[in-house]
């Protein structure tokens, strides 16, 4: 173990990934030093985290809550308190971090991740939307600045782990596993009747509301398909999805000789978080261990892209390229928010995404500014589509 702790900037510290990342830090005393924390609106938890970890900076995204955070940390002079989206981007680029863990949800992660890469920081990527929205641009920046992009999503961490030591062996394809969510096996007619409360009950994983809804609609898997293309430099046809309800095999790689490598483990995000933060080391821990005797049957099935239209739409956006995935993501964020407010039904989320893909201006070779404008245009269109369904 190095005598110098790895310095970690944690963006999105109060969400599901962020709080579990801090559990990993607590369980590895002396290995990590938290240099920055950020939250969008959970001021109370951010304050508690700042008091425990005493970072050099904290950012509260909701500027109305800045006075609350500043006052609470007034007797902690080593911690600078900042607010707003611009402050988050500035903190992502600060020199006092070795790795930036991007754990915020949605498009909000794009600009801070770009800033961190340009500042030469390794990225532990839990914000899949960054690669969904601007994968070509992000991978180019990673190469230009010589940084590491370390996946935190359990599926992409599994692929990453399977590829260690296989640098000279070309991938034939990867297989991303999906739990199938709480509605696996249901028809479109049955899906039309599901409620928000039902959709928020994932059978295997404990996640935030947005990702849980995405998992129920299979949009989360669709976003992961797009993310995988850019993380592992794959062609569209090299990515498969298989439903694996037990969530024990986190994903697989098939090589040119037909051999398959898989990474297995209990459905617990702390392991991929720890692997990304500790890479290239595997750090000892006291996490629960998997036993085959507890899971005597591991099953697999084809995803139903007719009932779960979002997965098909994601593959279509992937094939289309350009800013199509940016449109897909922005429309989905608006649709999920409307569903969580009980303004649209479960199947209507896919309708909003599909209509947005048809209506928003397509660009084959977008710049960063184009992605920002596409996101803005799509959100306007998607809100109109949601309002028309109320």
């Amino acid at each position: 173990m190095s005598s110098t702790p790895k310095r970690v900037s944690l963006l999105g510290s109060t969400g599901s990934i962020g709080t579990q990342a801090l559990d990993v830090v607590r369980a590895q005393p002396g290995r990590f030093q938290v240099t920055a924390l950020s939250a969008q609106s959970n001021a109370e938890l951010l304050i508690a985290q700042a008091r425990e970890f005493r970072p050099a900076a904290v950012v509260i995204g909701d500027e109305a809550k800045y006075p609350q955070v500043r006052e609470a940390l007034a007797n902690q002079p080593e911690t600078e308190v900042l607010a707003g989206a611009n402050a988050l981007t500035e903190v992502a680029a600060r020199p006092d971090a070795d790795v930036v863990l991007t754990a915020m949800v949605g498009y909000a992660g794009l600009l801070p991740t770009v800033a961190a890469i340009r500042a030469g920081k390794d990225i532990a990527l839990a914000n899949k939307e960054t690669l969904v929205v601007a994968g070509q641009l992000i991978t180019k920046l990673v190469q230009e600045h010589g940084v590491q992009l370390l996946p935190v999503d359990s599926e992409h961490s599994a692929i990453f782990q399977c590829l260690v030591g296989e640098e000279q062996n070309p991938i034939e394809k990867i297989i991303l596993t999906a739990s199938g969510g709480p509605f696996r096996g249901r028809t479109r007619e049955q899906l039309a009747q599901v409620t928000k409360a039902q959709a928020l009950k994932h059978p295997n994983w404990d996640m935030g509301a947005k990702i849980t809804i995405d998992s129920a609609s299979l949009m989360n898997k669709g976003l992961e398909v797009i993310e995988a293309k850019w993380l592992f430099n794959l062609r569209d046809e090299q990515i498969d999805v298989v439903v694996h309800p037990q969530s024990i095999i986190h994903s697989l790689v098939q090589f040119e000789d037909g051999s398959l490598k898989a990474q297995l483990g209990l459905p617990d995000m702390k392991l991929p978080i720890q692997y990304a933060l500790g890479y290239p080391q595997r750090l000892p821990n006291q996490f629960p261990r998997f036993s085959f005797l507890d899971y005597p049957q591991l099953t697999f099935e084809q995803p139903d892209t007719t009932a779960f239209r979002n997965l098909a739409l994601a593959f279509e956006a992937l094939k289309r390229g350009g800013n199509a995935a940016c449109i897909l993501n922005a429309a989905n964020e608006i649709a999920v928010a409307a569903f969580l407010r009980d303004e649209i039904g479960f199947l209507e989320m896919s309708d909003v995404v599909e209509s947005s893909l048809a209506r928003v201006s397509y660009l084959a070779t977008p710049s960063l500014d184009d992605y920002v404008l596409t996101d803005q245009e799509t959100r306007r269109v998607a809100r109109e589509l949601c309002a028309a369904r109320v």
Side-chain angles (χ1 to χ4, degrees):
M1 174 175 137
S2 170
S3 59
T4 304
K6 184 179 287 189
R7 301 171 300 171
V8 179
S9 178
L10 177 47
L11 309 183
S13 63
T14 61
S16 175
I17 295 295
T19 54
Q20 290 179 84
L22 291 177
D23 286 341
V24 169
V25 171
R26 291 185 188 97
Q28 299 285 344
R31 289 191 186 271
F32 302 109
Q33 176 191 351
V34 177
T35 60
L37 297 167
S38 82
Q40 176 56 32
S41 58
N42 192 341
E44 292 78 10
L45 182 52
L46 181 64
I47 290 164
Q49 291 173 342
R51 286 172 173 164
E52 177 182 358
F53 292 96
R54 309 188 80 82
V58 298
V59 180
I60 182 74
D62 183 349
E63 297 186 33
K65 296 190 175 182
Y66 171 72
Q68 176 188 353
V69 180
R70 182 187 58 190
E71 183 178 346
L73 299 177
N75 61 349
Q76 195 168 307
E78 70 270 31
T79 300
E80 183 180 7
V81 179
L82 303 161
N86 290 339
L88 184 62
T89 300
E90 291 168 14
V91 165
R94 286 171 67 117
D96 57 356
D98 302 307
V99 60
V100 177
L101 173 53
T102 58
M104 68 279 282
V105 176
Y107 170 84
L110 175 61
L111 296 181
T113 304
V114 168
I117 293 170
R118 286 175 170 164
K121 308 298 177 187
D122 288 338
I123 306 296
L125 187 70
N127 175 255
K128 65 175 67 68
E129 291 85 355
T130 290
L131 284 180
V132 170
V133 169
Q136 188 167 11
L137 182 147
I138 293 296
T139 51
K140 182 180 178 184
L141 285 174
V142 165
Q143 292 172 349
E144 287 176 355
H145 294 276
V147 302
Q148 296 185 100
L149 197 57
L150 305 164
V152 171
D153 267 347
S154 62
E155 296 82 358
H156 302 91
S157 176
I159 300 298
F160 187 74
Q161 292 180 55
C162 289
L163 291 175
V164 171
E166 300 280 3
E167 291 78 12
Q168 304 306 314
N169 295 314
I171 299 170
E172 187 167 292
K173 69 175 179 178
I174 68 166
I175 303 168
L176 298 176
T177 55
S179 71
F183 307 133
R184 180 175 61 88
R186 297 201 189 185
T187 64
R188 283 186 64 82
E189 291 72 23
Q190 292 170 322
L191 289 175
Q193 307 303 319
V194 303
T195 66
K196 174 177 69 177
Q198 291 170 328
L200 286 170
K201 291 181 180 177
H202 195 280
N204 298 336
W205 297 92
D206 180 15
M207 304 172 291
K210 196 267 182 183
I211 298 176
T212 303
I213 299 301
D214 280 348
S215 295
S217 72
L218 289 197
M219 178 58 89
N220 193 54
K221 201 54 50 180
L223 299 179
E224 288 174 1
V225 165
I226 299 169
E227 181 184 9
K229 172 188 173 68
W230 300 111
L231 273 173
F232 305 114
N233 190 27
L234 301 170
R235 300 185 307 277
D236 304 347
E237 63 272 16
Q238 288 180 290
I239 308 169
D240 280 351
V241 173
V242 64
V243 174
H244 168 48
Q246 297 80 21
S247 296
I248 295 301
I249 295 178
H250 296 306
S251 281
L252 310 93
V253 179
Q254 183 170 302
F255 295 96
E256 288 188 329
D257 63 354
S259 178
L260 284 164
K261 285 178 73 173
Q263 188 262 333
L264 287 72
L266 294 170
D268 183 350
M269 283 303 302
K270 291 189 185 72
L271 182 58
I273 292 168
Q274 178 181 284
Y275 187 78
L277 292 180
Y279 184 80
Q281 289 181 286
R282 287 190 180 273
L283 305 180
N285 60 51
Q286 300 301 315
F287 300 158
R289 268 33 181 180
F290 167 75
S291 168
F292 277 103
L293 299 181
D294 294 331
Y295 294 84
Q297 286 190 319
L298 300 178
T299 61
F300 308 90
E301 59 197 60
Q302 194 75 16
D304 182 352
T305 53
T306 300
F308 296 90
R309 177 75 180 133
N310 276 346
L311 183 56
L313 291 173
F315 271 106
E316 288 174 18
L318 177 68
K319 290 181 173 67
R320 195 174 178 198
N323 66 340
C326 180
I327 298 168
L328 176 97
N329 179 73
N332 180 64
E333 288 189 19
I334 295 300
V336 170
F339 175 71
L340 288 170
R341 294 193 300 268
D342 297 311
E343 293 174 0
I344 64 174
F346 186 81
L347 290 179
E348 288 180 302
M349 290 190 289
S350 300
D351 296 339
V352 168
V353 173
E354 188 166 16
S355 296
S356 297
L357 281 166
R359 288 177 53 176
V360 175
S361 307
Y362 173 74
L363 297 171
T365 55
S367 66
L368 180 58
D369 288 342
D370 290 330
Y371 286 123
V372 173
L373 292 173
T374 295
D375 180 81
Q376 292 171 353
E377 180 187 355
T378 305
R379 288 172 191 273
R380 177 184 58 77
V381 168
R383 287 190 187 100
E384 292 173 0
L385 291 166
C386 289
R389 286 168 164 75
V390 175

